[in-house]
Amino acid sequence: MPQDDVSGSSFQKRLRNLAFSRSGSGSPGKAAIQPSFDDDQEYEFKLKHVAKISSGQPLQDRLDSLLAAAKQILRCSSSTVLAILDAADDLFDDTANLDSRNVGFAFLTNIARAGHLDQITRAKTFNCITRAADPSSIASQISAIDALTDHGNKVAAFQPLVTDFVAGLLSRCYSAADRSRAERRSKSPGSEEKDNLETVWTILEHLMLSDALDMEESHSSQLLNILITICRKTTARSDLDRAIAVIGAFTARAKVPNENLDPLINVLCSISYARGKDRAEIHTCLDHVFIKSDRSIAMGILLRNLSQIFDEPNSIKEMRGSLLQLEHIYKTNGVGANLGPRFAELVQALKNAATVDHGDQNQNQITLTLSLKATAAVVRNEMVIRSLISDDWACMEGIVEIIAKAAGPIHKAPYQSITRASPIYFFACGTEIKSSVVTEEMIEALHGICRGLSRLYPRLTPEKRTLVVNVFLFLGNIAEPNTMDIVIDHVEENRLLLPPNENWLVHIAVFMEKGFLDNNKHPLYRARVLNLISEVHKSVCIEPRTADIFGQQFVKLIQNATIGSSLALINQLVDLLCKSLVSAGMLTFDLLLAALVDLAVRNGSPDLTLSAPTTLDDRVNTTSLHLIHSFLECLPDQPQKARKIYDSLVAIAKNPKSSIEAKLDSIQLLTRLRCNSDGVVQVIQRPDTQSLAPTLSKMQAANGPPSGSVQSNRASLTEGTSRSRSSRNSGVVGSHKDDARSRPQSAVGESTELPNTAWKYSSSQGTALNPLKILATEGTSSTAIDPSSWLELVLEILEKGSDWEPYSYILIHLPSQLTNISLFANCIPQIEKLHDLLLYQLQKSKFLEPPAHTELKKGHIALCLYQMLTVMVGYSGWFLPQKKVETVHTFLVGTSQWSQTIKCCIHALALCCHELPRAVDRCLSLILTKMSQIITQSQFAIDILEFLTRLSRLPAAYQSIGEEPLRSIFGICIRHLHHSREMRQIATDSVNLGSANSSKRCSNISGSGGLPSDLGPVVSTEKELPEYVYALAYHVITHWFLAIPIQDRSKHVGWIAKNLAWKDKFGEEIVEEQSQVTLDMMHRTAYLDLGETVRPLLPTADERSIIKKMYLVGMSVITLETDSTTGLTHITKRQASGTTNATYQPCIAPLPAHHVGAQNQPSTVGTNAFPSILPQHVLLQLSSTISPMPIPTQPIVLPDDGSSDMAIRGIDQIATVDSYKAGVIYVAKGQQEEKEILANSAGSEAFDSFLAGLGTKVVLQGATFNTSGLDKVSNMDGTHTFAWRDRVTEIVFHVPSMMPNVEHDPQCTNKKKHTGNDFVNIIFNESELPFQFDTFPSALNFVNIVITPEKVTAWPSPLQAADNNGPGGLETCYFFKVQVLSASFLPEISPAASPKVVSASALPSYVRQLALNAHLFSLVWSERAQGEEVISSWRSRLRHIRKLRQKYANTGNSANVGYPEMGTAEDRGGAKSYEEGDDWKGTLAMGGLAEQGQSLMSLDFTRWT
């Protein structure tokens, strides 16, 4: 063909335009829609272009015409297209020049895009495209075939030639792209090469997915070879991705020829490993290969890959990829998983792979990891499991060796008796996985192996189970908990650690050494081993010899088990060791104890720290807690061990290296030690001092979270009146409910949440949030425990300071423990040191400052120290006199130094009045001065007044009192009287205004309860209950006035009388009833101190000679009974405060001889004809002169009739003292129930001694005093009781043990009718159990005063020793713990709300005064709740006298006869009547006062005689 020049610019431009229009016309194979020619147009078009295109025409013309035809070709029919193709046939040959081929392929591409051509035309087009072409035309060729096949989707007309053609294109395009990358030195080829290759990949991939795909095996093999070659040669990820896509499409549709199976699987495995996690597509390809091919051959290729010599990188990749494919097959239970008899071959292949040595540790680890993962998948496959169950298990050795590869070489067992046949052989050899050299993937794979074998284990024979256990033991340090459960179950089932097994001790040693001491093992694994050993220990450590063997092994364990161990594990080990303490011999015991103590103080090192504790055992080193439980076990019957553990706990608490938790745990136990009256040491279940915890913010808030949570828990801080009484108790040992008065409340009204606290109490349970969880435990003789070392530790902590948590724990709990004098009776040197230290620190304020984060003040610490010092008053018998004085002085410091300690110190001084009367006497002036200084703080009114009341009844405590202190006392009372009047007036005004009522006031009071009154918070009960302050103030005035020597009483009358009057809000001066009776008392006793008087009988034989006259004189009733014959007169003066009886008789001188007798009198004196003397004479002689007497003050004559006598009897029936009552109940040892307690018919010697001091034994039958309900006629309530009385008060004690038991009354209701109606019961509790408030349920029992005796055997005090001329021997004496329990609705104000220690000599007076004050308080409370007030007996008598005055005032008539100038009798008796508050005017005359205009009435004394 002529080679004309066709390179003109016009031609090239038209060619580009055609190419542009083609490329812009849409995707290849889709032509732009053009209207078809009609027949004429097509005929003309065909003739024109066939002629011009035919060979023989100039080349340029041919090309121009072909280009023109190409633009319109889509409008033509198949015949026209076929004619043009035939005419241009030579232009498509590779012999044509480049432009010709370009124009030809452009034309072919346009034809290919026509969708309306017939198959012949399309076949002709395919033949033209696929002719051998110059490499420069490959792009046009690719574009044309892409358009013709619609990207490889329409190939039905071209099969099978199209597959080979496209495969050839792929090979040529890949080679071109590869050359381009090399030339460009780039990972990417040129754009043309890249486009060509991408197009071919697309065509080929679509072709593989075409439904028309029909390839012969030879063609498939050729294609796969090309693809395999590309996969092996290429370094481009895109090539691999496209090749894998094509292979995947092929394998999904066609079978892989056998000749291609090996290279294809190998190349895919190699790619699979190289791909990392992105290998799902390759696994799919291989799955298709296994499905479409011979599975046995395919699996054999994989197994062979694991067994060949790996000397090339590709072979390593193929091996690792094969492992990955095996893992995939057995995980998914894919084709090939069921190998049947070839399973042993699989295990061998896996073992070969696991043991391959690449000469590099990292490479070996990679292969080992893949081998383990594949092995795990195999072992977990259900088909494999079924095969293994029936197999002879020879292959299992291979699995063991695979695992052993991770463990290292197997060494000879160090124990001769452990042979290879032993079930723990590998364990003993130490061949185990080391967690430091395995990866997370390896661990997960090993776990997978274990899980598979775990599923298999239950279905195996014993021999096979042993082999599985060996596998698990290989994995010991990284085994999962369920795996170790199987191991331990196997060990237990086969009794490998028990005596029937001849090697049981060796096995135990192996498990201890290999199962626990290896710190590389997983903590859970080690914990399981310890649990196993612990269970064995329980079974075999009954004999001391066996226990010692265990103990010695344990010592070895504890000496080597700390480094790298978690706290949970260490604590578990400690628990096991502590259990051995109890059963071990003393030598082993000492070794174990020393090791444990050493471990207890190792806390704080990194190996003993857990970052995220989840249980109690994880929080801290709990060695001290476990030692405590060992102590409790040994305490009852192993005193020597208990003593040594006790000493160790003291050492732990003292060691500066010990953690705060360890110190605190030890101190918790040490503070709970108690000693009962029999000298037996006990441990109480819960401390009885939670009431002090809020002082240091150690009580959990109701809505706050636990600190830990404590925590915790952590019920309301301030419990109101709804709190059950059952939560009240007073106990020494084993308290299982809240202590008395443990209602928690903030001490100072501040936040009660303490951050970063190690211990805190739950307000609802009374238990520590970080508790020492123990039961009440009885122990052994007190001689086995030496508390002096504990006190030495306390001294060191208090003196030198300590961490806040132990320090605060001691502050709060030591006071309670000190009340147990029996425990410390033989620690007097330490007690004296502690006493001296407290005196020094409190006097000098030299004690620990609370940490800033607690938000506490120094006064709160001082309060706790004062609690200790208060308890130590009970030890005063061992103190020198000077120390006693210092003690009182120190309490005085607390009344002014810190506001938090005032109340506590006042209560302590009240106790000192009984225990240290001489010291109080020496300091009395200072005491009263201090109390005068705090008089403005009304919240302390009750405490001060109760103290003064108590003091007034103890003369030994105020022997040297002078006038100034007495004035201070009266001044204090007057001040509080004024304030209480103001408060009462405010309350009255509130009621009158309707803003409050009595029930509301009562509810306010009930809300004020909370802590024992001496512990804060300082609630102003004085403000809420002014009636009690009011009553107390008058009591104090009365008692102290009577306490003044008679010669000095008159000196105080004026000042007291002046201040008893007060002005109300209107400015009117008022002297209220109680003031009136107080004045009456002073009037009656200012010059009289003889006590009670009695009415004598007049010595006369004739009652007719007795003349009786009754008068109202002021606020008294005077009865005169005169013997008219002798003048002897019995005078009875009835006043509010009492009745005075006296006699009057004129001393009649004999008449002189020369005296002439009166005419109206017989000569013989004493006859009945004319009386010689009348009662009026006695009245005038004693009370009047001729001075005028104001009418309002004139005596009033009472008529001599029955009504007057009845009124007088009414006054006489009212006692001249206030009557109180209280039950005194004896509780014998072990008694808790009401019935058995009330049934007691006798008490102990100590109880009888207490009763004798409490009052006087009196006879009931015929008693003339108020027996408070006890029968006085028939001895129904017994023949005797005890009573006590002074000049103001009388108290009768209801003693059930002195009342008879009645057979028909097993519930003792007759006894309870007395004690159940008493506001106050005194409980003498010798039960050695805590007393519960609701033991005697009653609505009227408000207060229980619980006395707990302690029988103490100790060395005598220094003074006693001096009196006995030497130290002497041990002596037995009694001390008593006294605590007041109040009903939940009462505010807590008693000075004994927190326990006090009282000596036997001081006990009766101390308790009696508690009972008197408690009764008065309860009475005030009860009356106030009803809207009433307490009316004393004196006020009742005064009211009776006032009624007489109101009835008979100013009714007297003159005795004169009716002189005319004096008017009528009515005039003479018609004096003006006066009432209280009326004005009166008069004139001073004749030494008296004459009423203005009524001088007759003022002078006529016959009116009122």
Side-chain angles (χ1 to χ4, degrees):
M1 157 170 144
Q3 298 296 319
D4 297 333
D5 184 13
V6 292
S7 60
S9 60
S10 175
F11 172 79
Q12 295 296 334
K13 181 177 182 181
R14 284 185 290 129
L15 183 60
R16 285 194 301 271
N17 289 338
L18 179 60
F20 176 79
S21 65
R22 185 173 73 247
S23 64
S25 63
S27 61
K30 291 186 179 181
I33 298 176
Q34 295 179 343
S36 300
F37 289 123
D38 58 24
D39 293 342
D40 292 338
Q41 289 174 331
E42 184 173 356
Y43 179 75
E44 183 180 351
F45 178 82
K46 177 179 179 181
L47 288 178
K48 175 183 175 182
H49 287 288
V50 169
K52 289 183 178 182
I53 295 173
S54 299
S55 60
Q57 297 296 326
L59 180 60
Q60 186 62 50
D61 292 342
R62 295 180 71 188
L63 297 178
D64 289 341
S65 180
L66 191 59
L67 284 173
K71 293 180 179 180
Q72 302 292 327
I73 197 67
L74 297 180
R75 303 177 65 184
C76 301
S77 64
S78 296
S79 62
T80 301
V81 174
L82 191 59
I84 294 174
L85 282 174
D86 289 339
D89 186 71
D90 62 317
L91 296 178
F92 308 129
D93 292 337
D94 58 351
T95 58
N97 64 23
L98 179 62
D99 285 339
S100 298
R101 292 195 302 274
N102 287 338
V103 173
F105 277 112
F107 180 75
L108 290 172
T109 301
N110 254 18
I111 293 175
R113 295 169 60 234
H116 64 284
L117 302 178
D118 58 21
Q119 292 295 332
I120 297 174
T121 305
R122 289 175 61 79
K124 175 66 175 179
T125 304
F126 175 76
N127 289 334
C128 292
I129 293 173
T130 57
R131 289 179 186 178
D134 186 87
S136 60
S137 301
I138 192 170
S140 299
Q141 199 173 20
I142 291 172
S143 178
I145 196 65
D146 185 44
L148 182 65
T149 63
D150 189 16
H151 310 297
N153 291 310
K154 297 179 179 180
V155 295
F158 319 123
Q159 286 288 24
L161 300 177
V162 66
T163 304
D164 291 340
F165 175 71
V166 176
L169 284 178
L170 175 63
S171 180
R172 292 163 59 194
C173 288
Y174 172 75
S175 298
D178 196 38
R179 286 193 301 272
S180 177
R181 293 189 189 101
E183 293 170 358
R184 292 162 54 86
R185 296 182 180 180
S186 171
K187 293 182 178 180
S188 299
S191 60
E192 182 178 355
E193 289 81 0
K194 180 179 179 181
D195 292 343
N196 290 341
L197 184 59
E198 285 296 322
T199 304
V200 173
W201 278 124
T202 302
I203 295 171
L204 188 57
E205 185 176 352
H206 289 176
L207 189 118
M208 293 298 103
L209 296 172
S210 173
D211 293 335
L213 178 65
D214 182 16
M215 297 178 64
E216 297 180 1
E217 186 172 322
S218 60
H219 297 289
S220 300
S221 178
Q222 180 184 355
L223 174 62
L224 289 174
N225 285 335
I226 293 172
L227 291 171
I228 291 169
T229 301
I230 291 174
C231 288
R232 285 178 172 171
K233 290 180 61 177
T234 187
T235 59
R237 175 63 184 261
S238 59
D239 291 342
L240 283 175
D241 289 342
R242 301 308 295 267
I244 291 170
V246 173
I247 293 173
F250 175 85
T251 56
R253 306 292 299 276
K255 177 184 177 182
V256 177
N258 289 342
E259 62 182 281
N260 299 107
L261 200 56
D262 194 337
L264 180 61
I265 290 176
N266 288 340
V267 76
L268 288 176
C269 287
S270 179
I271 296 173
S272 174
Y273 171 71
R275 278 294 179 90
K277 295 182 179 180
D278 186 18
R279 57 175 67 96
E281 191 175 5
I282 300 173
H283 285 317
T284 302
C285 289
L286 286 169
D287 288 343
H288 292 159
V289 170
F290 272 72
I291 293 172
K292 300 289 185 179
S293 306
D294 189 323
R295 302 171 188 175
S296 177
I297 296 175
M299 180 59 73
I301 293 170
L302 289 180
L303 298 183
R304 188 176 66 251
N305 286 343
L306 304 183
S307 304
Q308 60 187 333
I309 300 174
F310 307 103
D311 54 357
E312 296 181 2
N314 281 340
S315 62
I316 296 174
K317 292 179 182 178
E318 291 168 4
M319 180 264 291
R320 291 174 176 171
S322 298
L323 290 170
L324 290 170
Q325 183 61 22
L326 285 172
E327 180 189 5
H328 168 74
I329 289 173
Y330 284 96
K331 269 188 175 180
T332 60
N333 205 24
V335 176
N338 188 5
L339 288 176
R342 296 189 60 186
F343 179 71
E345 183 183 347
L346 170 63
V347 174
Q348 181 62 38
L350 290 171
K351 184 183 73 171
N352 292 340
T355 57
V356 70
D357 185 4
H358 301 294
D360 181 272
Q361 181 64 34
N362 291 334
Q363 293 301 316
N364 290 345
Q365 191 176 57
I366 293 172
T367 303
L368 176 59
T369 301
L370 296 175
S371 301
L372 290 171
K373 293 173 70 174
T375 304
V378 168
V379 173
R380 298 181 70 181
N381 185 274
E382 184 61 33
M383 287 187 289
V384 174
I385 290 175
R386 289 197 296 268
S387 175
L388 284 173
I389 292 173
S390 59
D391 195 75
D392 61 1
W393 270 58
C395 58
M396 185 54 64
E397 292 284 352
I399 294 177
V400 174
E401 293 187 40
I402 294 172
I403 298 173
K405 177 63 179 177
I410 298 177
H411 304 287
K412 184 178 180 182
Y415 303 93
Q416 293 182 355
S417 58
I418 301 294
T419 66
R420 192 176 183 88
S422 170
I424 63 169
Y425 173 77
F426 294 112
F427 196 33
C429 292
T431 305
E432 295 184 277
I433 300 292
K434 296 177 174 57
S435 58
S436 60
V437 297
V438 297
T439 64
E440 291 295 331
E441 278 190 297
M442 291 174 67
I443 292 175
E444 182 58 33
L446 291 168
H447 286 171
I449 295 173
C450 289
R451 292 171 194 146
L453 294 177
S454 296
R455 291 174 57 194
L456 185 63
Y457 182 87
R459 293 181 272 181
L460 297 178
T461 62
E463 293 78 12
K464 292 181 179 180
R465 288 185 177 186
T466 299
L467 188 54
V468 170
V469 168
N470 266 292
V471 174
F472 291 165
L473 290 175
F474 271 120
L475 307 175
N477 55 327
I478 60 172
E480 294 179 306
N482 62 327
T483 302
M484 291 316 302
D485 288 341
I486 292 176
V487 171
I488 292 173
D489 290 343
H490 181 81
V491 171
E492 291 178 341
E493 289 173 6
N494 292 275
R495 303 179 69 83
L496 299 181
L497 304 184
L498 291 173
N501 188 294
E502 59 181 356
N503 293 321
W504 74 280
L505 282 175
V506 178
H507 290 168
I508 288 174
V510 171
F511 267 85
M512 285 184 177
E513 180 180 351
K514 303 297 182 180
F516 182 80
L517 288 181
D518 186 357
N519 291 325
N520 290 320
K521 291 184 175 62
H522 194 283
L524 291 177
Y525 171 78
R526 300 173 71 190
R528 292 291 294 159
V529 171
L530 275 182
N531 283 338
L532 175 61
I533 296 174
S534 178
E535 291 301 317
V536 173
H537 177 267
K538 291 179 183 178
S539 302
V540 302
C541 284
I542 300 174
E543 298 181 0
R545 174 184 167 275
T546 309
D548 283 345
I549 293 174
F550 265 91
Q552 291 163 12
Q553 290 288 341
F554 291 162
V555 171
K556 181 180 178 182
L557 281 176
I558 203 168
Q559 289 173 344
N560 297 278
T562 56
I563 300 176
S565 299
S566 69
L567 270 176
L569 205 55
I570 291 295
N571 293 335
Q572 187 179 359
L573 171 63
V574 169
D575 179 47
L576 179 57
L577 268 59
C578 285
K579 291 175 182 176
S580 299
L581 281 175
V582 180
S583 55
M586 287 307 300
L587 180 60
T588 305
F589 173 87
D590 291 340
L591 293 174
L592 282 171
L593 184 58
L596 285 166
V597 173
D598 179 62
L599 181 60
V601 299
R602 295 186 199 176
N603 193 32
S605 61
D607 57 287
L608 291 180
T609 303
L610 286 183
S611 58
T614 57
T615 66
L616 175 65
D617 287 344
D618 291 340
R619 63 179 180 88
V620 289
N621 183 344
T622 57
T623 306
S624 54
L625 278 177
H626 288 96
L627 280 173
I628 288 170
H629 288 285
S630 297
F631 171 81
L632 296 176
E633 281 194 70
C634 294
L635 189 61
D637 50 19
Q638 299 189 64
Q640 186 177 2
K641 288 183 179 180
R643 168 64 183 270
K644 291 189 175 185
I645 299 175
Y646 162 81
D647 292 338
S648 298
L649 291 171
V650 173
I652 291 172
K654 190 174 184 179
N655 195 317
K657 295 182 181 179
S658 299
S659 67
I660 292 178
E661 291 82 3
K663 291 180 181 179
L664 193 57
D665 290 337
S666 301
I667 290 174
Q668 283 190 63
L669 173 84
L670 295 171
T671 55
R672 297 184 190 195
L673 292 176
R674 299 294 188 272
C675 180
N676 66 13
S677 58
D678 296 327
V680 176
V681 173
Q682 301 170 318
V683 179
I684 60 172
Q685 182 181 7
R686 289 192 177 97
D688 51 2
T689 54
Q690 302 95 303
S691 53
L692 190 56
T695 304
L696 301 184
S697 302
K698 286 293 186 178
M699 189 65 71
Q700 176 186 329
N703 299 321
S707 8
S709 103
V710 91
Q711 143 269 212
S712 329
N713 14 152
R714 304 224 125 195
S716 171
L717 264 179
T718 307
E719 297 178 17
T721 58
S722 62
R723 177 166 177 168
S724 170
R725 278 196 222 155
S726 63
S727 64
R728 306 297 187 79
N729 63 69
S730 173
V732 179
V733 178
S735 172
H736 60 278
K737 295 186 179 180
D738 288 352
D739 288 339
R741 269 304 166 189
S742 61
R743 292 180 294 186
Q745 187 171 343
S746 171
V748 290
E750 300 173 355
S751 171
T752 57
E753 276 301 307
L754 182 64
N756 303 322
T757 183
W759 71 275
K760 186 177 281 192
Y761 281 109
S762 163
S763 59
S764 63
Q765 298 297 327
T767 57
L769 296 187
N770 174 17
L772 178 67
K773 295 181 179 178
I774 59 175
L775 299 175
T777 306
E778 292 194 3
T780 184
S781 170
S782 61
T783 57
I785 302 297
D786 180 15
S788 61
S789 58
W790 160 232
L791 285 181
E792 292 288 353
L793 173 61
V794 169
L795 286 167
E796 180 178 337
I797 291 175
L798 293 180
E799 184 174 6
K800 298 179 180 179
S802 174
D803 296 307
W804 169 246
E805 299 303 332
Y807 183 82
S808 61
Y809 198 91
I810 288 176
L811 287 179
I812 289 177
H813 293 81
L814 187 62
S816 172
Q817 190 179 33
L818 288 173
T819 62
N820 184 213
I821 294 186
S822 300
L823 183 65
F824 300 112
N826 294 307
C827 303
I828 300 308
Q830 289 76 24
I831 290 293
E832 290 177 338
K833 289 179 183 178
L834 179 59
H835 182 249
D836 291 345
L837 178 62
L838 292 175
L839 295 180
Y840 170 78
Q841 289 188 339
L842 290 170
Q843 289 175 10
K844 303 296 184 182
S845 190
K846 299 287 188 181
F847 47 83
L848 186 69
E849 291 273 1
H853 72 266
T854 64
E855 300 180 0
L856 298 174
K857 298 178 181 178
K858 203 167 183 179
H860 298 112
I861 309 298
L863 174 58
C864 296
L865 295 176
Y866 270 117
Q867 282 295 307
M868 293 185 204
L869 188 60
T870 302
V871 173
M872 298 196 74
V873 171
Y875 294 81
S876 59
W878 285 280
F879 301 153
L880 296 174
Q882 183 57 38
K883 292 298 180 182
K884 298 179 181 180
V885 175
E886 283 189 42
T887 301
V888 175
H889 272 290
T890 304
F891 286 127
L892 286 176
V893 171
T895 61
S896 58
Q897 186 79 10
W898 303 282
S899 61
Q900 295 87 354
T901 62
I902 295 175
K903 188 179 289 284
C904 171
C905 289
I906 295 173
H907 293 171
L909 289 171
L911 178 61
C912 291
C913 291
H914 298 267
E915 295 287 357
L916 310 175
R918 294 182 182 178
V920 171
D921 183 39
R922 290 180 58 179
C923 305
L924 188 56
S925 295
L926 185 57
I927 292 173
L928 295 175
T929 301
K930 291 287 187 181
M931 292 191 177
S932 297
Q933 291 171 354
I934 59 176
I935 195 173
T936 57
Q937 302 182 52
S938 59
Q939 65 268 32
F940 304 116
I942 290 176
D943 309 293
I944 294 173
L945 292 173
E946 284 191 346
F947 167 79
L948 293 175
T949 303
R950 182 182 300 273
L951 181 63
S952 68
R953 289 190 167 112
L954 300 169
Y958 61 84
Q959 291 180 354
S960 58
I961 192 169
E963 290 187 13
E964 189 60 34
L966 286 169
R967 283 195 291 269
S968 298
I969 292 173
F970 294 129
I972 291 171
C973 296
I974 296 299
R975 170 66 182 83
H976 287 304
L977 268 180
H978 289 336
H979 188 74
S980 67
R981 286 169 180 148
E982 294 171 3
M983 299 307 300
R984 293 170 71 200
Q985 186 62 51
I986 291 172
T988 301
D989 292 344
S990 298
V991 172
N992 292 337
L993 291 173
S995 63
N997 53 50
S998 60
S999 61
K1000 182 175 180 180
R1001 289 162 55 200
C1002 290
S1003 64
N1004 288 341
I1005 300 167
S1006 65
S1008 67
L1011 298 175
S1013 59
D1014 52 354
L1015 300 181
V1018 180
V1019 291
S1020 181
T1021 308
E1022 188 272 342
K1023 291 182 179 179
E1024 298 177 339
L1025 195 61
E1027 292 87 349
Y1028 184 52
V1029 177
Y1030 179 80
L1032 275 178
Y1034 280 113
H1035 269 255
V1036 174
I1037 292 174
T1038 300
H1039 285 292
W1040 274 104
F1041 185 81
L1042 295 175
I1044 302 173
I1046 191 170
Q1047 64 272 17
D1048 296 326
R1049 291 177 186 171
S1050 58
K1051 300 176 183 178
H1052 302 273
V1053 171
W1055 190 87
I1056 295 173
K1058 170 188 174 184
N1059 287 281
L1060 287 178
W1062 64 290
K1063 292 184 179 180
D1064 62 13
K1065 61 182 180 180
F1066 303 108
E1068 296 183 5
E1069 194 169 69
I1070 296 174
V1071 180
E1072 54 199 354
E1073 269 190 353
Q1074 194 62 44
S1075 295
Q1076 293 177 33
V1077 297
T1078 302
L1079 289 170
D1080 184 83
M1081 177 275 301
M1082 292 192 295
H1083 182 273
R1084 194 170 68 88
T1085 60
Y1087 304 104
L1088 173 68
D1089 207 14
L1090 295 178
E1092 300 290 336
T1093 61
V1094 295
R1095 179 179 181 275
L1097 295 175
L1098 294 177
T1100 178
D1102 190 354
E1103 293 185 0
R1104 291 176 298 175
S1105 64
I1106 304 300
I1107 303 174
K1108 179 180 178 182
K1109 203 70 174 177
M1110 295 178 290
Y1111 301 92
L1112 279 170
V1113 180
M1115 299 306 290
S1116 66
V1117 179
I1118 297 178
T1119 301
L1120 301 176
E1121 296 174 275
T1122 304
D1123 186 342
S1124 60
T1125 61
T1126 63
L1128 181 63
T1129 301
H1130 174 214
I1131 304 172
T1132 303
K1133 185 176 184 181
R1134 294 174 173 85
Q1135 296 175 243
S1137 61
T1139 299
T1140 303
N1141 293 280
T1143 56
Y1144 171 88
Q1145 185 172 19
C1147 297
I1148 302 174
L1151 294 177
H1154 59 280
H1155 187 86
V1156 178
Q1159 293 181 359
N1160 62 343
Q1161 181 177 340
S1163 57
T1164 304
V1165 177
T1167 64
N1168 292 330
F1170 298 99
S1172 301
I1173 186 172
L1174 296 176
Q1176 292 89 330
H1177 168 77
V1178 178
L1179 179 64
L1180 290 175
Q1181 294 302 310
L1182 296 179
S1183 63
S1184 179
T1185 68
I1186 63 170
S1187 301
M1189 182 177 292
I1191 294 174
T1193 63
Q1194 292 175 358
I1196 300 172
V1197 182
L1198 295 179
D1200 187 11
D1201 56 17
S1203 62
S1204 297
D1205 290 337
M1206 184 179 296
I1208 296 300
R1209 284 196 300 271
I1211 296 174
D1212 289 341
Q1213 288 174 356
I1214 301 174
T1216 58
V1217 293
D1218 288 330
S1219 296
Y1220 293 176
K1221 59 180 180 175
V1224 184
I1225 303 172
Y1226 175 74
V1227 184
K1229 187 172 184 178
Q1231 291 183 339
Q1232 286 184 298
E1233 300 298 326
E1234 178 186 44
K1235 181 175 67 174
E1236 61 180 349
I1237 293 172
L1238 291 178
N1240 288 327
S1241 58
S1244 64
E1245 181 181 348
F1247 177 69
D1248 293 340
S1249 178
F1250 166 68
L1251 277 178
L1254 193 63
T1256 301
K1257 191 173 185 180
V1258 294
V1259 177
L1260 288 175
Q1261 194 169 32
T1264 57
F1265 60 92
N1266 180 4
T1267 60
S1268 296
L1270 294 176
D1271 176 58
K1272 297 187 287 186
V1273 178
S1274 61
N1275 292 332
M1276 185 176 64
D1277 296 321
T1279 59
H1280 294 78
T1281 192
F1282 282 86
W1284 179 90
R1285 173 172 174 156
D1286 63 8
R1287 297 175 69 176
V1288 180
T1289 308
E1290 180 179 64
I1291 182 168
V1292 174
F1293 299 106
H1294 296 155
V1295 188
S1297 59
M1298 299 179 70
M1299 301 177 188
N1301 291 323
V1302 182
E1303 290 185 6
H1304 64 268
D1305 185 18
Q1307 300 298 323
C1308 300
T1309 53
N1310 185 62
K1311 294 183 178 182
K1312 189 175 179 180
K1313 78 177 181 181
H1314 297 293
T1315 59
N1317 288 304
D1318 292 336
F1319 285 133
V1320 180
N1321 278 322
I1322 300 169
I1323 312 297
F1324 198 90
N1325 183 21
E1326 287 191 320
S1327 68
E1328 297 187 0
L1329 297 170
F1331 178 78
Q1332 305 298 324
F1333 187 92
D1334 58 356
T1335 300
F1336 305 107
S1338 169
L1340 293 177
N1341 287 158
F1342 285 8
V1343 176
N1344 285 329
I1345 303 172
V1346 183
I1347 303 170
T1348 305
E1350 289 199 25
K1351 186 178 180 182
V1352 178
T1353 301
W1355 297 103
S1357 67
L1359 292 180
Q1360 291 172 325
D1363 293 341
N1364 296 331
N1365 299 319
L1370 293 173
E1371 295 183 355
T1372 300
C1373 56
Y1374 277 96
F1375 288 87
F1376 301 86
K1377 187 172 78 171
V1378 179
Q1379 185 176 17
V1380 173
L1381 307 182
S1382 301
S1384 58
F1385 51 82
L1386 290 179
E1388 199 54 272
I1389 62 171
S1390 174
S1394 60
K1396 299 294 186 293
V1397 176
V1398 185
S1399 64
S1401 60
L1403 180 69
S1405 61
Y1406 184 74
V1407 171
R1408 183 171 57 244
Q1409 189 60 46
L1410 287 176
L1412 289 170
N1413 288 342
H1415 186 281
L1416 177 60
F1417 177 82
S1418 301
L1419 188 62
V1420 170
W1421 180 277
S1422 178
E1423 294 296 325
R1424 187 177 188 271
Q1426 304 300 323
E1428 304 293 338
E1429 63 175 328
V1430 176
I1431 305 298
S1432 67
S1433 58
W1434 290 358
R1435 290 177 64 185
S1436 296
R1437 289 168 64 94
L1438 179 65
R1439 291 183 176 185
H1440 275 71
I1441 294 172
R1442 184 176 288 117
K1443 287 180 181 179
L1444 286 173
R1445 287 193 63 84
Q1446 292 171 352
K1447 183 176 181 180
Y1448 295 110
N1450 302 315
T1451 57
N1453 293 309
S1454 174
N1456 293 301
V1457 295
Y1459 291 100
E1461 62 272 19
M1462 296 184 66
T1464 65
E1466 183 178 353
D1467 293 332
R1468 295 194 297 274
K1472 179 182 177 182
S1473 176
Y1474 291 93
E1475 295 181 357
E1476 293 281 346
D1478 289 347
D1479 293 332
W1480 183 89
K1481 294 181 180 180
T1483 304
L1484 182 63
M1486 300 168 58
L1489 288 172
E1491 186 168 350
Q1492 187 174 352
Q1494 294 286 343
S1495 58
L1496 171 61
M1497 299 301 181
S1498 300
L1499 291 172
D1500 184 6
F1501 60 84
T1502 64
R1503 292 189 65 258
W1504 45 268
T1505 56

